[in-house]
Amino acid sequence: MTRYEQVKRAIHFQKPDYVPLFLFNGDRSNSDIIQTDLVRFYLGEDKQGTEWGFRWESDDPSIPMGNPKNPPLEDFGKFDEYNAKFKPDAFDKSRFADIIEARREFGDDRYYMGSLYLTGFTIMSFLRGFCNLMEDMLIEPENVEKLADLVFGFENDVIRQMADYGFHAVSLWDDWGTQTDLMVAPDYWRRVFKPRYKEQFRIAHEHGLDVFFHSCGKVDEIVPDLIEVGVDMLNLGQPALNAPDCKSGIEHMGKLYAGKVCFCTPADYQTTSIQGTPAENREEVRRIIESMDTPDGGLIAYILDYTENMGMPKENYRAIIDAFVEYGKKS
């Protein structure tokens, strides 16, 4: 089987030979999944401009992503002005240039995923400012939905074009959790955002794309909702948090959902992969495979490159890859 077939089988529980590797921003030559970005987030000479109109603020010039500053949507009375000045053009064909080069380099052997990079609620909070948006949910709920329609509408228009360029999946990156809970009330999330994800996932599936969804933090309360509306690959940034005790999420998520969704899971890049030893990282990988994988598939290894995951020792990066390769063999 090709690497593409191994990934596809893992996602859809069709007995892959091993746990496929997604080396995020790492060694693409050894990654079963090749991802390219479709939205521009590091523009200008200083790499701090974005296609959405906000800018990054970073104390370290070697790290382009910092904190978003200067929210461009100052108030909802200037919504039309924002649209005219900043709204990205979803139909700008140049955003697909990287996939053309990637397919030329790697051919048909790989599984290609197009990243919208930062999406949904996260982008909304960058456009309005996080505190403003949280207040808007109480004071101006109709304008929050108007903003959601703008952001999700742009994303959906990009998704509709992706299959034409040879993509197999779309990846969405929308952080919903703190260390201990959701950022918004679950009922509000289900009323305002769940229907929009359902429509977004439907559009992706209608165009033959699998859906990869990332969220950092503790989001276990909405995991069944994401599965219900059709997520194919679920990427929990801190898997251990996603349990009632905020520490046994690997086993908890596996017990509840192994076989129901394909997990795309890291050794925790907030704790173990940075603070742990290589042996501890190997043990965490073993627990991930033991808890979240099934004989039919349902697990993809998500591995941040040590140069991207600030503070990760190179030996931990190597130990994580080796452990997924060793423990992830199915025959």
Short mmCIF file of all heavy atoms in Angstrom, two decimals, residues 24-26 304-310:
data_model
loop_
_atom_site.label_atom_id
_atom_site.label_comp_id
_atom_site.label_asym_id
_atom_site.label_seq_id
_atom_site.Cartn_x
_atom_site.Cartn_y
_atom_site.Cartn_z
N PHE A 24 4.48 17.28 11.75
CA PHE A 24 4.01 18.64 11.56
C PHE A 24 5.20 19.60 11.54
O PHE A 24 5.94 19.72 12.51
CB PHE A 24 3.04 19.02 12.68
CG PHE A 24 2.49 20.41 12.57
CD1 PHE A 24 1.44 20.67 11.70
CD2 PHE A 24 3.00 21.44 13.33
CE1 PHE A 24 0.92 21.95 11.59
CE2 PHE A 24 2.48 22.72 13.23
CZ PHE A 24 1.44 22.98 12.36
N ASN A 25 5.36 20.30 10.42
CA ASN A 25 6.47 21.25 10.25
C ASN A 25 7.83 20.61 10.43
O ASN A 25 8.81 21.27 10.75
CB ASN A 25 6.34 22.43 11.24
CG ASN A 25 5.27 23.40 10.78
OD1 ASN A 25 4.78 23.31 9.66
ND2 ASN A 25 4.91 24.34 11.64
N GLY A 26 7.88 19.30 10.25
CA GLY A 26 9.15 18.60 10.44
C GLY A 26 9.68 18.03 9.14
O GLY A 26 9.56 18.63 8.07
N LEU A 304 5.27 17.18 16.52
CA LEU A 304 5.84 18.51 16.26
C LEU A 304 7.34 18.41 16.13
O LEU A 304 8.01 17.72 16.91
CB LEU A 304 5.50 19.46 17.41
CG LEU A 304 4.11 20.08 17.45
CD1 LEU A 304 3.93 20.83 18.76
CD2 LEU A 304 3.91 21.03 16.29
N ASP A 305 7.89 19.12 15.17
CA ASP A 305 9.34 19.19 15.04
C ASP A 305 9.93 19.90 16.26
O ASP A 305 9.36 20.87 16.75
CB ASP A 305 9.72 19.94 13.77
CG ASP A 305 11.21 19.91 13.51
OD1 ASP A 305 11.70 18.92 12.95
OD2 ASP A 305 11.87 20.88 13.89
N TYR A 306 11.06 19.43 16.74
CA TYR A 306 11.64 20.02 17.95
C TYR A 306 12.03 21.48 17.77
O TYR A 306 12.10 22.24 18.73
CB TYR A 306 12.85 19.21 18.42
CG TYR A 306 14.05 19.29 17.50
CD1 TYR A 306 15.07 20.20 17.72
CD2 TYR A 306 14.16 18.43 16.40
CE1 TYR A 306 16.16 20.27 16.87
CE2 TYR A 306 15.25 18.48 15.56
CZ TYR A 306 16.25 19.41 15.79
OH TYR A 306 17.33 19.48 14.95
N THR A 307 12.24 21.91 16.51
CA THR A 307 12.55 23.32 16.28
C THR A 307 11.30 24.18 16.35
O THR A 307 11.39 25.40 16.52
CB THR A 307 13.22 23.51 14.91
OG1 THR A 307 12.31 23.09 13.87
CG2 THR A 307 14.50 22.71 14.80
N GLU A 308 10.11 23.56 16.20
CA GLU A 308 8.85 24.30 16.26
C GLU A 308 8.27 24.26 17.67
O GLU A 308 7.62 25.21 18.11
CB GLU A 308 7.83 23.70 15.27
CG GLU A 308 8.23 23.84 13.81
CD GLU A 308 8.12 25.27 13.33
OE1 GLU A 308 7.33 26.03 13.90
OE2 GLU A 308 8.83 25.63 12.38
N ASN A 309 8.44 23.14 18.36
CA ASN A 309 7.90 23.00 19.71
C ASN A 309 8.93 23.55 20.69
O ASN A 309 9.87 22.85 21.08
CB ASN A 309 7.59 21.53 20.01
CG ASN A 309 6.82 21.35 21.29
OD1 ASN A 309 6.27 22.30 21.84
ND2 ASN A 309 6.80 20.14 21.79
N MET A 310 8.78 24.79 21.06
CA MET A 310 9.80 25.49 21.85
C MET A 310 10.10 24.75 23.15
O MET A 310 9.22 24.48 23.95
CB MET A 310 9.34 26.91 22.15
CG MET A 310 9.28 27.79 20.93
SD MET A 310 8.55 29.42 21.28
CE MET A 310 6.83 28.98 21.45
#
